[in-house]
Amino acid sequence: MLRDLHNHTQASDGSLSPHELVELAVERGVDELAITDHDSVAGVLALREQAHDFDIKIVEGVEISAGWGKHTLHIVGLNIDPEHSALSSFLKLQQQKRYTRALEMAHKMQKAGVEQAVNDVEIMLQEQNMVCRTHLAQYLLDKGAVNNFANAFKKYLAKGGKAFVKDDWFELEDAIAIIKQAGGVPVLAHPTRYKMGSNQLHELIQTFQRLGGEAIEVCYPNIHPGKKNLLANWVQKYNLLASQGSDFHSPDKPWALLGKFPPMPDKVTPVWTAWQ
Ligand code: AMP
Ligand code: MN
Ligand code: MN
Ligand code: MN
């Protein structure tokens, strides 16, 4: 059984439609696929009408951006009810925060010399579901303001960049609570990708568990084997479940291929035992 429990579509910053994502997953031999767009269930809802056409199990999910002190965390919710009304209201507010942030970033880009940035981003905001930093990075690359995608983050969009805007997401405890209210399992996404040392990461995992978090991602692309083992030990120690997923965004991003990530360690309880 191949399960990929972290994936993006055009409903956030992925390049495929939900339908195309499912087709690719079937082609890659994925048996169970979670759709986890940033702060949106639009892709999940779009697929509800088509899912019966496919021989694959769809896990309806979301990846919520959340604040924890000075850090921005990503909390995946698996098996949420995408029509849950409190979750819908929550996501609507997150989208409003995203809208305001994209405009503020556009103003900063224009100030830094990117001509027409405000006008161009206003058009993007009208034309697509949401504007993530991924879209702004592509825009800066297309405009010739940077020579590669990574530099768009480094020079403009990441902390310290010319167009950086501190985000204003709901807090970690709010993200966990809303996922549980909507019937889902809260999963701490890619724990080793946050800019914190091991001691703080340990503190985060304890806090996450205390606030009602239930699972953490242990298997994802490029995780260092030693770190994977450390996460697996914490999963055991704090009675958590372990999750896995590629964090797939686009077929042209070879560092996150659909269905590809290291294997689940034997010593942990996998997250899918929560719904099997
Ligand atoms: P946002 O949620 O709008 O702040 O955008 C965050 C998304 O941008 C992440 O989910 C990644 O897909 C992408 N991202 C963040 N940092 C980088 C980076 N340094 N290089 C490439 N993509 C990045
Ligand atoms: Mn993303
Ligand atoms: Mn993420
Ligand atoms: Mn993701």
Side-chain angles (χ1 to χ4, degrees):
M1 272 292 263
L2 178 55
R3 299 176 170 92
D4 190 333
L5 301 178
H6 187 153
N7 293 281
H8 295 269
T9 76
Q10 284 166 355
S12 63
D13 57 351
S15 70
L16 303 183
S17 70
H19 190 101
E20 288 165 338
L21 174 70
V22 174
E23 277 180 339
L24 183 62
V26 170
E27 209 181 293
R28 297 281 159 88
V30 175
D31 303 290
E32 189 166 62
L33 177 81
I35 298 181
T36 56
D37 279 303
H38 298 291
D39 300 308
S40 171
V41 290
V44 165
L45 291 172
L47 201 66
R48 272 202 164 185
E49 286 137 42
Q50 309 162 357
H52 60 271
D53 293 334
F54 299 102
D55 187 18
I56 189 170
K57 179 172 165 28
I58 302 296
V59 175
E60 298 183 319
V62 66
E63 182 177 16
I64 295 180
S65 312
W68 186 60
K70 66 180 174 63
H71 296 282
T72 298
L73 306 176
H74 285 176
I75 311 301
V76 163
L78 296 176
N79 261 315
I80 42 115
D81 169 8
E83 294 184 293
H84 188 272
S85 76
L87 176 65
S88 306
S89 309
F90 180 100
L91 296 179
K92 203 169 163 194
L93 289 170
Q94 291 277 88
Q95 292 298 337
Q96 283 168 8
K97 293 170 194 275
R98 286 189 167 276
Y99 189 99
T100 312
R101 183 188 65 156
L103 268 186
E104 282 177 31
M105 287 186 135
H107 279 279
K108 287 194 164 184
M109 282 181 209
Q110 193 155 315
K111 249 191 180 158
V114 184
E115 285 173 23
Q116 294 292 319
V118 173
N119 191 45
D120 292 342
V121 171
E122 277 172 355
I123 292 169
M124 284 163 76
L125 285 164
Q126 281 165 23
E127 286 180 347
Q128 59 194 62
N129 291 310
M130 67 196 279
V131 174
C132 296
R133 280 187 297 164
T134 318
H135 302 115
L136 297 177
Q138 189 59 47
Y139 168 75
L140 288 166
L141 188 58
D142 294 343
K143 273 287 249 202
V146 289
N147 51 15
N148 64 55
F149 197 78
N151 272 342
F153 279 90
K154 208 166 151 194
K155 294 191 174 168
Y156 287 91
L157 305 170
K159 198 170 178 184
K162 289 184 257 189
F164 177 73
V165 174
K166 173 79 185 104
D167 50 44
D168 171 36
W169 311 127
F170 284 106
E171 296 291 310
L172 172 61
E173 59 191 284
D174 304 320
I176 293 171
I178 199 71
I179 288 167
K180 292 180 85 149
Q181 270 184 58
V185 179
V187 185
L188 179 65
H190 42 65
T192 57
R193 282 201 211 140
Y194 307 117
K195 287 198 175 70
M196 56 179 83
S198 294
N199 288 342
Q200 200 178 15
L201 185 55
H202 191 182
E203 189 195 329
L204 168 59
I205 284 163
Q206 289 171 279
T207 306
F208 177 75
Q209 194 263 3
R210 187 170 42 77
L211 294 172
E214 292 170 14
I216 71 176
E217 282 185 355
V218 169
C219 309
Y220 45 95
N222 297 323
I223 186 169
H224 184 280
K227 290 279 167 63
K228 186 179 124 179
N229 192 45
L230 180 66
L231 292 177
N233 289 342
W234 285 335
V235 162
Q236 283 184 300
K237 182 168 181 188
Y238 299 109
N239 276 318
L240 292 158
L241 302 168
S243 190
Q244 62 184 31
S246 63
D247 202 3
F248 172 84
H249 281 71
S250 166
D252 62 19
K253 297 196 168 142
W255 57 87
L257 296 171
L258 189 54
K260 292 263 189 251
F261 40 80
M264 186 60 82
D266 288 335
K267 62 185 172 189
V268 296
T269 308
V271 69
W272 51 86
T273 57
W275 60 78
Q276 255 183 352

